[in-house]
Amino acid sequence: GSRNRVYRVIQCQEKEITQLMSSLSDGWKFEQLVNINSSSGYIYGDSEHCEFLCIVSKQYDRMPREDANACVSERVKILQERGSRM
């Protein structure tokens, strides 16, 4: 079977990195952490305001297009229901 790798980029502050790493689930794998505050990669001063891009990936089996559309549609419905309750 054919497989696809999907990447996700998540912006977070330094104090959120540990929480983010511990909450990775469903096959998501840590790839890279990039400091976006400085070209040198090191910040002087208040580290609480340091921001990072966390790159994660997940490998998927390719499925027939109609099956993929059904999965996406079901997830969209669930997310819409959750959002309407807020």
Side-chain angles (χ1 to χ4, degrees):
S2 189
R3 296 180 73 90
N4 282 345
R5 182 162 293 279
V6 176
Y7 292 88
R8 181 178 286 174
V9 178
I10 305 164
Q11 186 172 348
C12 61
Q13 292 186 352
E14 186 173 23
K15 62 184 177 185
E16 301 169 321
I17 294 172
T18 303
Q19 166 90 26
L20 177 66
M21 294 300 158
S22 65
S23 66
L24 287 178
S25 62
D26 293 333
W28 287 100
K29 175 184 155 194
F30 170 77
E31 294 289 339
Q32 186 176 4
L33 189 65
V34 179
N35 184 332
I36 58 174
N37 289 108
S38 166
S39 60
S40 68
Y42 187 80
I43 299 295
Y44 294 96
D46 188 3
S47 65
E48 198 164 308
H49 292 86
C50 291
E51 290 194 276
F52 296 85
L53 296 179
C54 180
I55 302 166
V56 295
S57 69
K58 184 173 183 176
Q59 198 158 8
Y60 288 96
D61 289 326
R62 281 196 186 160
M63 57 178 90
R65 189 173 189 90
E66 58 277 357
D67 291 345
N69 288 340
C71 287
V72 169
S73 296
E74 191 60 35
R75 290 187 71 199
V76 168
K77 287 177 193 174
I78 291 168
L79 291 173
Q80 286 174 335
E81 287 174 15
R82 287 182 185 170
S84 67
R85 292 184 208 150
M86 297 180 130

